[in-house]
Amino acid sequence: MINLEILLESIGSFEERINYKFKNKKNIILALTHSSYANENRNERLSSNERLEFLGDAVLNIIISETIYNNYPNLSEGQLTKVRANIVCEQSLVKCSNNIEVGKFLLLGKGEDISGGRTRTSILSDAFEAVIGAVYLDGGMKNAKAFVYSQMEHLIKDSVSGIIFLDYKTQFQEIVQKDGEKKIAYEIVEENGPDHDKEFVAQVKVAERIIGKGKGKSKKEAEQAAAKAALEMLSTK
C-alpha cells in the first residue's frame, strides 16, 4: 500500500531535481511506476510506465529531430540520422537518468528492487523516456522541450562533434560492406555474474570469421564493444 504522504514528499524532491512542478501528480507517479510494482500491487489498480515510455520516446525523437534539423543545416539526412541515434541511444538515456537520480525515486516491486532494478540500464532508460512523456502530458511540448534541453543539450553538441558514444556497429557494417554484401553476425558467447549485475561477452563474425570481441553490461553494449574492437583491428591493417 502506498503511503501517500511519503510518496508526495518524494515526488516533490524529484520535481525540484528536474525543475518542473507537475499540475497533475498522477502523471509523474505513473512515469516512475515500474511494471513489477504495478503487478505486485494490483489491488491499487496502478498502471505501469510502459505506455508513457512509448509516448516519451516519440516526443524525444521529434524534439531531437527538430533541434538538429534547425540548428545544423549543413548535416545531410544520413548524418542527421546518426546524430539522433547517438543522442537517443540507451547509454545516453541512462546517463541522463542517473543525472537526475531517477533510480532513487522509482516504484519497484520487491523482487526487482532486491535484484538491482534501480541501477538496471533498461529500466533507467525507459523511465527517463516515461518522465519526458509525463512532462509532455502535463505541460505540453514547450515544457517537454525545456526539460529535454536541460538534460540533453550537451549530448546534442557532443554528438555533432563526434565526442560521445558512436554507433560502432553501423560504422563497421559500412566499412565491411562498402565493396559488396558480406554477412555480418553478432553472437553472445558468455554471460557472467548474478542476474542484477550481468556481464555479456559478444563476438562479431564476417563470413564465419571472428573479427572482434567485446564486453558490456547489456547484450547491445557487448555487441557495440565487439564492433569497436573489430574497427580497431581493421585500422591496424
Side-chain angles (χ1 to χ4, degrees):
M1 187 74 175
I2 294 178
N3 184 314
L4 189 58
E5 185 176 341
I6 294 176
L7 179 60
L8 289 175
E9 183 178 338
S10 176
I11 292 302
S13 298
F14 187 69
E15 288 176 326
E16 290 180 12
R17 187 165 293 280
I18 68 172
N19 196 31
Y20 179 79
K21 194 172 183 65
F22 285 85
K23 298 185 285 291
N24 185 346
K25 305 300 181 186
K26 289 181 179 179
N27 288 322
I28 187 56
I29 292 172
L30 179 61
L32 297 173
T33 302
H34 186 252
S35 57
S36 61
Y37 187 92
N39 290 334
E40 285 185 15
N41 297 272
R42 292 183 180 179
N43 59 315
E44 296 180 27
R45 296 183 179 180
L46 289 171
S47 297
S48 76
N49 62 5
E50 291 175 348
R51 280 169 49 85
L52 200 51
E53 179 259 325
F54 167 81
L55 177 62
D57 175 71
V59 172
L60 175 60
N61 271 280
I62 189 62
I63 290 173
I64 297 301
S65 297
E66 181 184 9
T67 299
I68 59 179
Y69 178 86
N70 287 333
N71 293 343
Y72 302 97
N74 294 326
L75 293 182
S76 68
E77 182 270 339
Q79 290 171 322
L80 289 170
T81 299
K82 287 182 180 179
V83 169
R84 183 179 62 190
N86 289 342
I87 297 166
V88 302
C89 70
E90 185 177 70
Q91 289 88 339
S92 294
L93 297 179
V94 170
K95 285 180 183 178
C96 293
S97 190
N98 285 331
N99 285 341
I100 55 176
E101 296 186 303
V102 168
K104 176 180 175 182
F105 298 94
L106 286 172
L107 293 173
L108 293 176
K110 292 179 181 178
E112 190 66 65
D113 200 355
I114 292 171
S115 67
R118 294 189 187 278
T119 59
R120 187 161 292 132
T121 56
S122 59
I123 291 177
L124 292 176
S125 60
D126 288 350
F128 183 74
E129 289 184 323
V131 172
I132 293 173
V135 174
Y136 171 76
L137 280 182
D138 194 80
M141 185 59 82
K142 180 180 179 180
N143 284 297
K145 283 183 178 179
F147 172 67
V148 169
Y149 290 160
S150 71
Q151 302 302 318
M152 306 190 81
E153 184 176 13
H154 64 292
L155 291 174
I156 296 170
K157 292 178 179 177
D158 287 350
S159 182
V160 173
S161 301
I163 295 173
I164 66 167
F165 172 82
L166 297 173
D167 186 353
Y168 297 112
K169 289 177 69 174
T170 299
Q171 290 184 54
F172 182 62
Q173 180 179 329
E174 289 176 349
I175 291 173
V176 170
Q177 296 183 344
K178 67 179 179 180
D179 297 321
E181 285 293 319
K182 293 178 184 176
K183 184 179 180 182
I184 300 173
Y186 290 86
E187 300 173 351
I188 301 299
V189 294
E190 287 183 42
E191 292 186 23
N192 303 308
D195 287 342
H196 68 277
D197 192 24
K198 283 274 191 186
E199 182 180 71
F200 298 89
V201 179
Q203 65 183 24
V204 57
K205 292 181 177 180
V206 176
E208 298 303 316
R209 180 186 166 207
I210 298 172
I211 305 297
K213 284 188 176 183
K215 299 178 181 179
K217 289 296 184 182
S218 68
K219 292 179 181 179
K220 288 182 179 180
E221 190 176 304
E223 289 177 356
Q224 289 286 352
K228 181 181 179 183
L231 284 166
E232 290 170 352
M233 188 275 290
L234 291 177
S235 68
T236 60
K237 283 190 170 183

